[in-house]
Amino acid sequence: MGKIINGRKVAKDVLNRVKEQTAFLKERGISPCLAVIIVGEDPASLVYVKNKQAACEKVGIISRRFSLPESTTEEELILLIKKLNADSSVHGILCQLPLPRHINEKSILRAIDEGKDVDGFSARIGFDRNDIAPCTPQGVIELLASENIDIKGKNCVVLGRSNIVGKPMALLLLLNDGTVTVCHSKTKNLIDITRRADILVVAIGKPRFITGDMVKNGVTVIDVGINRNADGSLCGDVDFDSVEPKAEYITKVPGGVGPMTIAMLMQNTIVAAMRSNAQN
Ligand code: GUN
């Protein structure tokens, strides 16, 4: 029987810590502030942004929302970002993705001041321990740490190579001295690789893709997937029922990685506020 790593509880602990740090900063005259930009009205993005602002409120971070119309040009968006970069009362800038097709995502993400990039998207290949890391992979590391799961020397297998999860996940595991293999849709003999994993992080967006026969006994499995079943309920990329009996530790969907993403965004915002204070 695998021990379930409870993302809701770990996220709550992180948020409590962030709340204390926010109060500490406020006592010293700094009011941590996150600027949240949303372009257009993508329904999922509206929900994400609402949840992010609700989390800010919970921990005492000021959130300033900039809702721009779908017709906003790349130049207009960059102008807003430049204004926010120059505004010392703003510590973090988040531009919700996806952006409308006529806007180049890379140009926008590059425009955000690295010190204010609380999504960690500007962290480039080779980023180091001091960089603000992307929220979801950082949340995975926090989940492993919550159970004192040592990464050092372990065979870590990451399924998925997205810019937001797979690639930064591999880097963070490497920074923690894991031996890392990244698998993707073109990987051959996948099962041979997943069966060697001590720590398996799955982020490929395929419902219940990883089954019990694909893992070894004693594996730690972190499921980053969020898929919707026909009945509207959520499921991950891991077939929990067949994998759980073989796992030492495992996360569930929902209630695993999901709650960690916003918690780490709050933490990143506080880190950005602390650093900007140290520089001034
Ligand atoms: N869209 C989906 N996930 C994310 C995220 O983590 N950050 C931003 N800015 N947009 C997203």
Side-chain angles (χ1 to χ4, degrees), residues 37 45 48 52 94-98 109 119 121 135-136 164 261 265:
I37 305 170
S45 292
Y48 286 134
K52 288 171 185 179
L94 177 149
C95 186
Q96 187 65 28
L97 304 177
L109 297 180
D119 259 323
F121 290 165
C135 302
T136 301
I164 296 184
T261 301
L265 174 69

Side-chain angles (χ1 to χ4, degrees), residues 132-158:
I132 285 182
C135 302
T136 301
Q138 208 185 329
V140 171
I141 298 290
E142 192 80 23
L143 286 175
L144 295 172
S146 75
E147 296 289 347
N148 295 314
I149 297 165
D150 200 9
I151 299 168
K152 194 189 289 182
K154 297 276 175 65
N155 282 332
C156 303
V157 175
V158 179

Side-chain angles (χ1 to χ4, degrees), residues 6-19 58-59 259-260 263:
N6 185 344
R8 289 199 183 101
K9 181 183 177 303
V10 181
K12 211 169 172 184
D13 292 344
V14 171
L15 290 174
N16 282 335
R17 198 167 68 209
V18 170
K19 197 171 176 178
K58 227 185 203 168
V59 298
M260 296 304 294

Side-chain angles (χ1 to χ4, degrees), residues 5-277:
I5 309 176
N6 185 344
R8 289 199 183 101
K9 181 183 177 303
V10 181
K12 211 169 172 184
D13 292 344
V14 171
L15 290 174
N16 282 335
R17 198 167 68 209
V18 170
K19 197 171 176 178
E20 281 170 20
Q21 289 166 328
T22 306
F24 175 88
L25 284 172
K26 282 187 173 167
E27 278 165 22
R28 280 149 190 81
I30 302 150
S31 295
C33 172
L34 174 66
V36 181
I37 305 170
I38 177 161
V39 185
E41 308 226 330
D42 176 69
S45 292
L46 287 169
V47 174
Y48 286 134
V49 162
K50 190 171 132 227
N51 291 343
K52 288 171 185 179
Q53 289 197 278
C56 283
E57 176 136 21
K58 227 185 203 168
V59 298
I61 292 174
I62 297 167
S63 72
R64 282 171 60 188
R65 178 170 175 153
F66 298 85
S67 299
L68 306 180
E70 180 88 17
S71 59
T72 303
T73 65
E74 194 172 306
E75 291 71 27
E76 285 167 334
L77 185 51
I78 290 181
L79 206 65
L80 170 63
I81 290 171
K82 282 187 174 162
K83 251 199 235 163
L84 296 170
N85 282 343
D87 184 342
S88 61
S89 71
V90 171
H91 303 102
I93 303 170
L94 177 149
C95 186
Q96 187 65 28
L97 304 177
L99 289 166
R101 282 220 206 114
H102 63 275
I103 298 179
N104 184 305
E105 199 173 285
K106 252 190 192 167
S107 312
I108 298 305
L109 297 180
R110 277 207 194 112
I112 298 174
D113 188 300
E114 226 172 294
K116 297 191 181 189
D117 173 25
V118 285
D119 259 323
F121 290 165
S122 65
R124 310 223 183 279
I125 295 292
F127 66 82
D128 63 36
R129 250 170 234 288
N130 291 322
D131 290 336
I132 285 182
C135 302
T136 301
Q138 208 185 329
V140 171
I141 298 290
E142 192 80 23
L143 286 175
L144 295 172
S146 75
E147 296 289 347
N148 295 314
I149 297 165
D150 200 9
I151 299 168
K152 194 189 289 182
K154 297 276 175 65
N155 282 332
C156 303
V157 175
V158 179
L159 247 71
R161 53 175 162 176
S162 71
N163 289 331
I164 296 184
V165 182
K167 284 180 200 155
M169 186 74 253
L171 284 169
L172 283 183
L173 291 165
L174 198 55
L175 276 171
N176 283 280
D177 298 325
T179 303
V180 183
T181 308
V182 182
C183 302
H184 46 78
S185 54
K186 306 290 187 298
T187 297
K188 294 204 171 79
N189 306 321
L190 181 67
I191 195 167
D192 294 341
I193 302 170
T194 57
R195 275 185 182 161
R196 285 205 302 268
D198 300 310
I199 298 172
L200 180 63
V201 181
V202 192
I204 45 163
K206 291 186 182 164
R208 297 186 201 87
F209 180 80
I210 293 292
T211 45
D213 57 320
M214 297 174 79
V215 298
K216 70 175 182 183
N217 281 319
V219 65
T220 290
V221 180
I222 307 288
D223 189 350
V224 186
I226 302 179
N227 310 288
R228 222 164 255 291
N229 293 312
D231 66 0
S233 61
L234 295 179
C235 76
D237 292 349
V238 174
D239 179 43
F240 183 85
D241 291 345
S242 66
V243 173
E244 182 269 340
K246 293 178 86 174
E248 186 174 1
Y249 293 96
I250 188 165
T251 62
K252 274 188 139 175
V253 178
V257 176
M260 296 304 294
T261 301
I262 290 186
M264 302 323 288
L265 174 69
M266 298 299 108
Q267 182 170 296
N268 282 349
T269 304
I270 288 301
V271 169
M274 284 179 171
R275 288 195 182 154
S276 79
N277 178 52

